[in-house]
Amino acid sequence: MAKPALRVERNGPIGWMIFDNPARRNAINEDMWRAIPPAMAGFDADPEVRCVVLRGAGSVAFAAGADISEFEKRRANANTAGEHDNIIDAAQLALEDSAKPVLAMIQGYCLGGGVEIALACDLRYAGASSSFAIPAARLGIGYGVHGTNRLVASVGHAAAREIMLTGRRYSADEALSMGLVNRVLPDAELEAYVREIASMLAANAPLSMAASKAIINGVIEASGDFSKGQELIARCARSEDHVEGRRAFMEKRAPKFKGK
Ligand code: COA
C-alpha cells in the first residue's frame, strides 16, 4: 500500500494538492499537514501557477479529518496537542495568506479537519453525494479558533452552533443551504466544473484577486477575540475526555464522556 502523502502536481496554470491516504478515507496525518505550507510556497513562487485546487485521492473522501490514529502520540498532552494544532493552523494560514485563489473540490466525506482546510480555501465546490460534519464534540477535542471563526463567517452563528454542538452529519444540499459550500454539482460533473472555474480564475487579474482576498480575510479575522477560546481548547487537550474520545474511535465504540 502506498504511504499516505500530500501529492503536489501542476497542470498548466493550476496547481493541485491531493490528500492521498485512501485506506483511511484521506485522513490528513501530520506529515501531510506539514507538507502544505512548502507546497503552497512553491505555487506562490511560480508565476505560471494562477490558482490552486485541493482534493482527495479517489472519490470516496475529500478528507475524513485529521488522522486520529496519530492522536495517542501527537496529542498525548497539552504541549504536544498545542504543537499539533499549530501545525494544522500553519497549513490553513498558508492557503489563506496566499495571494492566489484556492479551491476545494469536495467529493465524498469532508469531516473535522477536512472541513477546516476546506474553509481555509476561497471557494468550495461539492459533489451531490458528499457529506460534512465537524465531530469535535464526539472526540473531546477543541476545534481550532481560526477554523471556527471561518465557519461562523461562512454559515452564521446559528448553523455554526448546531454543527459544532451536535457533531452531526450534513448532506451536500444542507451544506449548500447553510453557505458551507458555494455550489453542489452532480458527482460526475464536479471535476469538469472545478476545472472550468479554475481556468476562469487563471485568466483573471492576479493582483485584483489578491486584493479582494486580503480584504475579505481582514474582515473575518478582525471580528474575533480568540484568547478565551485558546484557553478552552487547551483545557480539552488536557482532559480525560480527550483520551476517551480518541480511544473510543480507534476501538470502534461509542465514547463515554464525563466533562473532565
Ligand atoms: N483518522 C484515522 N483513521 C481514520 C479516520 C481518521 N480521521 N477516518 C477513517 N479512518 C480509518 C478507520 O479507522 C478505518 O480504519 P481500519 O480499516 O483500520 O478499521 C478506515 O479508515 C476506514 O474507515 P471506516 O470507518 O471503516 O469506513 P466507512 O466508510 O464505514 O466510514 C467515515 C468512513 C469517514 C465516515 C468514518 O471512518 C469516520 O467517521 N471517520 C472519522 C471521522 C472523524 O471523526 N473525523 C474527525 C477527525 S478531526
Side-chain angles (χ1 to χ4, degrees):
M1 202 187 298
K3 214 169 157 263
L6 180 80
R7 272 188 6 237
V8 180
E9 295 173 4
R10 198 192 124 191
N11 181 229
I14 305 167
W16 290 84
M17 288 190 214
I18 303 160
F19 301 116
D20 192 359
N21 187 7
R24 292 205 164 123
R25 306 296 184 260
N26 295 328
I28 309 171
N29 68 20
E30 197 170 290
D31 287 347
M32 290 157 77
W33 289 115
R34 279 185 194 277
I36 292 173
M40 198 65 221
F43 289 142
D44 283 339
D46 182 348
E48 301 294 312
V49 173
R50 305 287 283 269
C51 96
V52 175
V53 184
L54 269 64
R55 64 169 294 171
S59 57
V60 175
F62 173 73
D67 189 333
I68 301 167
S69 68
E70 289 185 336
F71 284 10
E72 196 82 40
K73 194 164 135 235
R74 292 302 303 138
R75 305 184 66 89
N77 57 53
N79 285 342
T80 55
E83 220 175 274
H84 191 246
D85 287 341
N86 289 341
I87 291 165
I88 293 176
D89 277 346
Q92 295 167 47
L93 288 174
L95 307 182
E96 191 176 81
D97 289 345
S98 168
K100 303 192 180 184
V102 184
L103 285 73
M105 175 178 133
I106 302 168
Q107 291 169 299
Y109 298 113
C110 181
L111 308 174
V115 178
E116 211 170 352
I117 201 78
L119 281 167
C121 297
D122 299 295
L123 299 166
R124 287 163 289 286
Y125 297 104
S129 65
S130 58
S131 60
F132 300 78
I134 303 182
R138 299 181 183 203
L139 285 161
I141 56 178
Y143 203 62
V145 287
H146 299 291
T148 307
N149 187 43
R150 290 186 200 104
L151 179 72
V152 176
S154 303
V155 306
H157 76 94
R161 280 172 211 271
E162 190 188 82
I163 292 169
M164 298 311 301
L165 301 184
T166 66
R168 84 160 170 91
R169 196 92 60 81
Y170 295 86
S171 68
D173 284 340
E174 287 175 304
L176 180 64
S177 68
M178 291 187 294
L180 190 55
V181 298
N182 292 88
R183 192 172 287 249
V184 174
L185 283 304
D187 291 337
E189 292 169 26
L190 177 66
E191 185 164 344
Y193 185 82
V194 167
R195 285 180 185 274
E196 195 185 312
I197 293 280
S199 301
M200 192 189 290
L201 298 176
N204 280 348
L207 300 184
S208 171
M209 290 190 293
S212 297
K213 200 175 153 160
I215 295 163
I216 294 166
N217 288 341
V219 171
I220 294 171
E221 286 299 318
S223 66
D225 170 6
F226 301 141
S227 51
K228 177 124 194 257
Q230 293 284 22
E231 230 173 78
L232 295 176
I233 289 172
R235 184 173 72 167
C236 290
R238 289 191 300 270
S239 70
E240 287 172 29
D241 281 353
H242 183 54
V243 176
E244 167 63 6
R246 68 187 180 234
R247 289 206 175 138
F249 176 79
M250 296 311 292
E251 291 163 15
K252 298 187 190 293
R253 61 174 173 81
K256 287 200 188 87
F257 293 128
K258 297 179 189 150
K260 46 183 190 176

